Amino acid sequence: MKCDRKLVLEDGSEYAGTGFGSNKTAVCEIVFNTSMTGYQEIVSDPSYTDQGIVMSYPLIGNYGITDEDFESRMISPSAFIVRDINDNPSNFRWAKTLPELMEESGIPGICGVDTRKLVRSIRDKGAGRGIITNTDVPTDMAVAEIKNTPVPHDAVRRCSCSKKWYSRTSNPHFNVVAIDCGMKTNIVRMLNRSHCNVTIVPYDTPGEEIMSLGPDGVFISNGPGDPCDVPEVIETLKALRGRVPMFGICLGHQLLALSYGAKTYKLKFGHRGGNHPVRDIRTGKIEITSQNHSYAVDGGSITGTGLQISHINVLDDTVEGIYSDTDRVFSVQYHPESAPGPQDSGYLFTGFTELMKKG
């Protein structure tokens, strides 16, 4: 295939390849994901907003896109970078190809890239920004466009719902209000399976408005970007603290920590993939988890906040879970609804319903 597109990183390094999907130019943060499957869930996960995703597994697209497997109807990444793209799927459920989905969604892709070299570069130097553009664009012009493009700080606003909506289940035992910071659909499904009627509200919904809905519990969702970019949610969680059980995942975990006075920091290249071992320090058990985040909670800043650490990443000792028995709140950095274990982390939803059951 003819090389007609290239990825240029902010340090001037180039990776040539062939374009697919949209042919527009995109400036974004370049990150890598180590998952072997699940590319449809990845491209439809709002947490990837404003990021270009490098897939470390070489063959992508071979089972196509199915209508039932979207995590949201928003195809959020800025770009998709792979070694080999398959546009002839082998799967009786497929409805369209990955390149077709990306073309419809206006997302540029590039294949034929040396993704092994690219992933090693991100791992060694850290995640930075890059640009997907045509091969005839001079490198210095591409680097200048990266530097002149502002870093967005409104990703959660763009991903969150604009008004509240409902997901009810048969034989409900609890009413949960979910704060939508870019929530994945399967989280709602898991809450429904746990006998919860769910009211999903925009990220900037005030605490008193949430309490007026009569929740038995409050859920804080995953989402994109720096948690410090959404002070509205932090203030809401401060107003709710101690009044109702709360459960946070991913960005929700970071926001819950910030609302108690802890701090967060940006990881060198983040955690993305379905193969991260996490230890529950209360039981000693190891969970195989799915993760997708650039930021982490500073473990040293937990002291004196009223929170305690529940989970630690086995690979790099980052904080993966926090809790407060007094306030009936807990959160995890990883995604229990993604079920890479596949049932390692299902107890977290049961734990949430147990807290609500106690009133």
Side-chain angles (χ1 to χ4, degrees):
M1 292 187 292
K2 179 183 177 182
C3 288
D4 57 356
R5 302 281 277 171
K6 66 180 179 180
L7 165 68
V8 181
L9 301 182
E10 54 190 342
D11 63 3
S13 56
E14 293 188 355
Y15 298 83
T18 302
F20 65 96
S22 170
N23 62 359
K24 73 177 185 181
T25 296
V27 176
C28 53
E29 182 183 28
I30 306 299
V31 301
F32 68 84
N33 186 297
T34 58
S35 298
M36 297 176 67
T37 61
Y39 55 80
Q40 178 174 347
E41 289 84 353
I42 289 167
V43 298
S44 60
D45 180 352
S47 295
Y48 281 107
T49 299
D50 300 328
Q51 293 179 331
I53 307 165
V54 183
M55 297 300 294
S56 65
Y57 188 72
L59 179 60
I60 301 298
N62 52 306
Y63 55 85
I65 299 294
T66 62
D67 291 333
E68 298 86 5
D69 293 344
F70 285 99
E71 286 292 358
S72 77
R73 289 296 168 178
M74 176 186 295
I75 309 303
S76 301
S78 293
F80 207 54
I81 302 140
V82 302
R83 175 60 184 172
D84 294 313
I85 189 72
N86 185 310
D87 59 1
N88 186 24
S90 177
N91 176 8
F92 73 95
R93 297 173 66 233
W94 78 279
K96 64 183 68 173
T97 67
L98 177 59
E100 288 171 345
L101 174 67
M102 292 178 57
E103 184 178 11
E104 291 174 2
S105 306
I107 308 298
I110 182 170
C111 64
V113 171
D114 186 347
T115 51
R116 291 184 299 177
K117 179 181 177 181
L118 180 53
V119 167
R120 285 197 299 267
S121 174
I122 297 170
R123 182 195 64 192
D124 296 342
K125 299 177 183 178
R129 295 209 295 167
I131 183 172
I132 302 286
T133 188
N134 294 328
T135 52
D136 58 0
V137 175
T139 302
D140 57 344
M141 290 182 60
V143 172
E145 186 164 355
I146 296 171
K147 294 180 178 177
N148 293 330
T149 301
V151 177
H153 293 280
D154 63 341
V156 169
R157 179 189 62 79
R158 285 181 278 130
C159 290
S160 179
C161 59
S162 58
K163 59 182 179 180
K164 70 174 179 283
W165 59 281
Y166 306 92
S167 180
R168 297 187 174 94
T169 186
S170 58
N171 191 28
H173 299 172
F174 311 101
N175 292 309
V176 170
V177 173
I179 302 174
D180 180 9
C181 299
M183 186 161 56
K184 294 166 67 176
T185 302
N186 203 37
I187 293 176
V188 180
R189 295 192 196 106
M190 291 294 287
L191 289 169
N192 285 157
R193 289 173 193 162
S194 300
H195 305 289
C196 299
N197 280 341
V198 186
T199 302
I200 299 91
V201 299
Y203 78 101
D204 56 355
T205 304
E208 292 308 317
E209 184 174 339
I210 289 175
M211 291 304 296
S212 71
L213 298 172
D216 298 305
V218 171
F219 176 82
I220 314 100
S221 85
N222 64 292
D226 186 342
C228 293
D229 287 342
V230 277
E232 302 92 337
V233 182
I234 297 171
E235 291 305 312
T236 293
L237 298 181
K238 288 180 180 178
L240 296 175
R241 188 165 69 192
R243 301 171 66 183
V244 64
M246 293 193 288
F247 174 26
I249 288 177
C250 199
L251 181 65
H253 160 78
Q254 299 159 16
L255 292 168
L256 196 61
L258 289 172
S259 73
Y260 275 79
K263 297 179 180 179
T264 57
Y265 64 98
K266 190 169 186 179
L267 295 165
K268 183 178 180 181
F269 49 80
H271 296 162
R272 294 174 183 85
N275 47 12
H276 288 262
V278 168
R279 177 184 292 110
D280 185 333
I281 62 177
R282 299 164 297 182
T283 65
K285 291 184 177 180
I286 304 293
E287 303 169 38
I288 301 302
T289 70
S290 177
Q291 305 204 6
N292 172 22
H293 60 104
S294 295
Y295 292 82
V297 173
D298 180 356
S301 69
I302 294 289
T303 304
T305 63
L307 296 171
Q308 298 184 66
I309 298 173
S310 59
H311 296 76
I312 292 290
N313 191 298
V314 174
L315 301 179
D316 60 10
D317 291 329
T318 52
V319 174
E320 293 282 356
I322 54 176
Y323 70 99
S324 168
D325 286 334
T326 302
D327 291 339
R328 299 174 298 160
V329 304
F330 71 101
S331 62
V332 291
Q333 182 63 77
Y334 52 95
H335 282 269
E337 83 289 343
S338 292
Q343 300 179 22
D344 294 20
S345 306
Y347 70 93
L348 294 166
F349 289 94
T350 303
F352 187 38
T353 59
E354 289 297 323
L355 286 179
M356 292 188 287
K357 191 180 297 183
K358 293 177 182 177

